[in-house]
Amino acid sequence: MRYISTRDNSSALPSARAIDLGMVPAGGLFVPEEIPALPEVKPGESYQETAVKVLSPFLSDFSEDEVASCVNNAYTGESFDVPGVIELAQIGSGKFVLELWHGPTAAFKDVALQIMPQFMKFAKVKSGNSSHTLILVATSGDTGKAALEGFRDTQGISIVVFYPHGGVSEIQKLQMATTEGANTHVVAVKGNFDDCQSGVKELFGDEQLRKAAAEHNVVFSSANSINWGRLCPQIVYYVKSYFDLVEKGKITSGEKIDFCVPTGNFGNILAGYYAKEMGLPVRRLICASNKNKVLTDFFKTGVYDRNRSFHRTMSPSMDILISSNLERFLFEITGHDARMVNRLYAELSETGKFDVGDWVRNRMASLVEADWVSEEEVLNTIGTTFKEFGYVLDTHTAVAVAAANRLSDDGTPVVIASTASPYKFSGDVLAGLGGEKPLDEFESINMLRNRSNTPVHRAVDGLRQKAVRHDEVIQIEKMRETVQGIIGTVS
Ligand SMILES: *Cc1c(COP(=O)(O)O)cnc(C)c1O
């Protein structure tokens, strides 16, 4: 399988090279030249077995043994606290919650970020890259910690994470600040997530900086979902959860279902789109947003308009106005129309908006339905779901459950992607359960445990005792200088 650019500004490259680079050097994102067919999944096979089958055709320049080695190193009993990596819970007739947060940092991003460093190690060797790799990450909270844990102490690779100062939860901040490992850097930026993400994109495009790095034998790469190595592992759990439902007798083989995904950067839901295009029986994808409803408006009107105020919500990992992976989606659904993508993204950077027109809008509507959920509804949904089913949702998953409750009423089964453990956002979850929200997050964690009678996720348990090792805060303009400083220390 070769990878082409959404902007037609790169030659087709093997997957190792696409993963090693992270994004297209001239701008644009790598996508597979074609979408492979769904492999045969046998009932009862392990997550690891399904993962090898789903991933192999996307990584055809890796041997099957190499893919299996990546899978087995990533999805161990030590990293994931359930034997099957993911779990399905049921909340009512035909509604299922796909728990993707059993990894080391309590967010779904672990599923991808535990395996991506494994891909990278092979990808470096295969692409003849003997330089030191510096991974640049912008995070709205969860990617940062998941990437830090994934890459911590990985030979030949360092990582720097930029997060919005004051824009992540107390627990997310502590998780990142206490990261160990000699190759990890964590920096708070005085701006919001979009500032961090745009800043990182600029660093990637900075020719001078790239040259300065090369002099120290350092190259940059990305662990954000703009990297294909981050995206493709997410396809696996759409496939696996479908066949788990078949095996449990909840659906019949071939029956179409919906997936509802709490969306920010459009990475997770895009993996669902790829699963559908591979042939998984998916009727539609539901794109659920919080108050930052730029995607909902886009799917309804065909106009993507980021010129609006940014809201801080209880689901900070979805507080995003520029959804990077939408570019891949537009490229795919238009039959690889790079000219159109170039035009739209030039417009976006000039005017902050673009209009895809009726044809594309109708095409999108046949695949994706979108809706957004208010803060009040998030709290209500957490409360009613607990009351009716004894099940505790985190604030991001609650956005998706609320959207699914509203949109799925015709009996088609729906799987809701649960992207974080409720313990990662205990205070707000407690508020949803109707309790007082204590000022102290650790107090909230205790109260949530008592209230819900569920075990505290190990990612937050014991966090208070850990030493803070990263406390740097910088202005947006200093991101470049910070990276320059790190380059000097890794070589
Ligand atoms: C990252 C994240 C999301 C958004 O996922 P995208 O792939 O960016 O759309 C939703 N919920 C949680 C908890 C996350 O960490």
Side-chain angles (χ1 to χ4, degrees):
M1 178 74 67
R2 288 151 70 81
Y3 286 78
I4 55 177
S5 167
T6 50
R7 301 196 189 177
D8 193 23
N9 52 4
S10 163
S11 51
L13 299 174
S15 67
R17 193 76 190 112
I19 291 171
D20 189 44
L21 283 169
M23 68 181 281
V24 181
L29 303 175
F30 286 112
V31 296
E33 205 161 27
E34 56 196 87
I35 299 175
L38 193 70
E40 195 189 326
V41 177
K42 295 203 182 67
E45 73 181 29
S46 68
Y47 189 89
Q48 290 81 351
E49 285 171 292
T50 307
V52 172
K53 287 183 193 172
V54 173
L55 293 170
S56 290
F58 285 108
L59 305 169
S60 52
D61 49 327
F62 287 55
S63 71
E64 194 158 316
D65 279 353
E66 287 171 338
V67 176
S69 147
C70 292
V71 165
N72 293 326
N73 284 332
Y75 303 127
T76 64
E78 204 184 313
S79 305
F80 289 82
D81 66 9
V82 291
V85 179
I86 57 168
E87 292 255 289
L88 278 164
Q90 186 160 8
I91 50 166
S93 161
K95 284 208 180 76
F96 304 92
V97 177
L98 173 57
E99 295 177 355
L100 301 169
W101 39 260
H102 289 281
T105 78
F108 87 100
K109 295 182 170 80
D110 287 325
V111 180
L113 281 162
Q114 282 294 303
I115 196 166
M116 192 173 138
Q118 306 289 334
F119 291 160
M120 280 236 174
K121 279 196 268 183
F122 282 108
K124 280 186 76 164
V125 176
K126 282 177 191 293
S127 11
N129 168 9
S130 58
S131 304
H132 189 94
T133 300
L134 178 57
I135 309 273
L136 308 176
V137 178
T139 185
S140 55
D142 291 332
T143 300
K145 181 59 176 177
L148 288 161
E149 282 308 306
F151 284 101
R152 179 163 62 88
D153 293 324
T154 303
Q155 194 78 42
I157 303 179
S158 297
I159 172 167
V160 52
V161 169
F162 295 100
Y163 72 90
H165 184 54
V168 301
S169 82
E170 195 54 32
I171 293 291
Q172 288 175 320
K173 181 177 142 189
L174 263 181
Q175 278 188 302
M176 290 190 278
T178 56
T179 303
E180 290 162 9
N183 64 338
T184 59
H185 305 266
V186 179
V187 182
V189 176
K190 289 190 175 164
N192 62 31
F193 170 69
D194 289 313
D195 296 323
C196 294
Q197 180 160 261
S198 306
V200 164
K201 276 189 191 159
E202 259 172 51
L203 295 175
F204 275 115
D206 188 328
E207 202 57 47
Q208 252 180 321
L209 185 66
R210 201 203 308 269
K211 278 195 190 130
E215 278 167 27
H216 289 87
N217 199 28
V218 172
V219 294
F220 299 137
S221 190
S222 153
N224 282 98
S225 51
I226 53 176
N227 191 320
W228 181 256
R230 168 82 190 277
L231 210 105
C232 66
Q234 302 183 341
I235 301 170
V236 176
Y237 50 71
Y238 286 92
V239 176
K240 183 66 172 121
S241 60
Y242 182 90
F243 288 99
D244 282 352
L245 287 177
V246 173
E247 203 198 334
K248 289 180 176 172
K250 301 289 185 186
I251 57 174
T252 55
S253 184
E255 183 177 354
K256 289 208 168 174
I257 66 169
D258 290 344
F259 280 98
C260 180
V261 186
T263 296
N265 232 342
F266 210 73
N268 197 4
I269 194 169
L270 184 71
Y273 165 79
Y274 279 109
K276 175 174 163 59
E277 292 304 298
M278 288 173 85
L280 195 70
V282 177
R283 181 181 62 162
R284 67 176 173 176
L285 299 158
I286 301 172
C287 174
S289 300
N290 64 22
K291 216 171 146 187
N292 293 295
K293 60 184 182 65
V294 63
L295 286 170
T296 306
D297 293 344
F298 173 60
F299 280 100
K300 288 196 195 302
T301 65
V303 178
Y304 192 93
D305 188 355
R306 58 157 302 200
N307 303 308
R308 57 180 74 209
S309 37
F310 174 90
H311 302 286
R312 282 216 173 117
T313 71
M314 291 180 285
S315 43
S317 298
M318 300 160 68
D319 290 346
I320 292 175
L321 294 181
I322 308 170
S323 286
S324 304
N325 278 295
L326 197 63
E327 177 167 344
R328 283 189 166 114
F329 181 71
L330 292 171
F331 183 72
E332 293 289 4
I333 64 165
T334 56
H336 293 181
D337 188 346
R339 272 175 58 181
M340 185 207 67
V341 170
N342 272 303
R343 179 171 56 76
L344 295 180
Y345 280 82
E347 260 173 58
L348 185 68
S349 72
E350 272 159 41
T351 67
K353 64 181 198 172
F354 59 68
D355 183 346
V356 293
D358 286 345
W359 186 85
V360 176
R361 184 168 56 82
N362 289 333
R363 173 97 185 92
M364 297 194 308
S366 68
L367 297 160
V368 175
E369 187 154 4
D371 210 348
W372 73 281
V373 173
S374 71
E375 295 288 272
E376 192 189 355
E377 209 179 339
V378 166
L379 294 176
N380 284 339
T381 305
I382 291 172
T384 51
T385 305
F386 186 63
K387 213 174 279 163
E388 283 180 47
F389 308 107
Y391 189 83
V392 189
L393 302 167
D394 98 285
T395 47
H396 302 74
T397 310
V399 169
V401 169
N405 284 345
R406 213 185 289 155
L407 297 177
S408 303
D409 48 11
D410 67 347
T412 302
V414 57
V415 172
I416 297 138
S418 175
T419 48
S421 156
Y423 282 104
K424 221 167 170 175
F425 304 94
S426 302
D428 291 327
V429 171
L430 264 183
L433 296 181
E436 273 292 302
K437 176 179 168 180
L439 282 176
D440 178 53
E441 266 298 295
F442 290 101
E443 182 59 26
S444 299
I445 290 169
N446 277 334
M447 286 175 68
L448 182 57
R449 182 188 50 209
N450 294 338
R451 193 72 208 284
S452 67
N453 209 8
T454 55
V456 177
H457 196 291
R458 68 198 189 291
V460 299
D461 213 10
L463 202 53
R464 199 207 284 261
Q465 282 79 39
K466 286 191 139 187
V468 170
R469 303 177 74 253
H470 309 270
D471 56 6
E472 199 179 343
V473 184
I474 63 164
Q475 304 285 349
I476 301 170
E477 302 75 40
K478 291 280 187 285
M479 287 173 68
R480 188 178 194 275
E481 207 173 301
T482 301
V483 168
Q484 256 171 335
I486 295 170
I487 290 169
T489 65
V490 295
S491 50

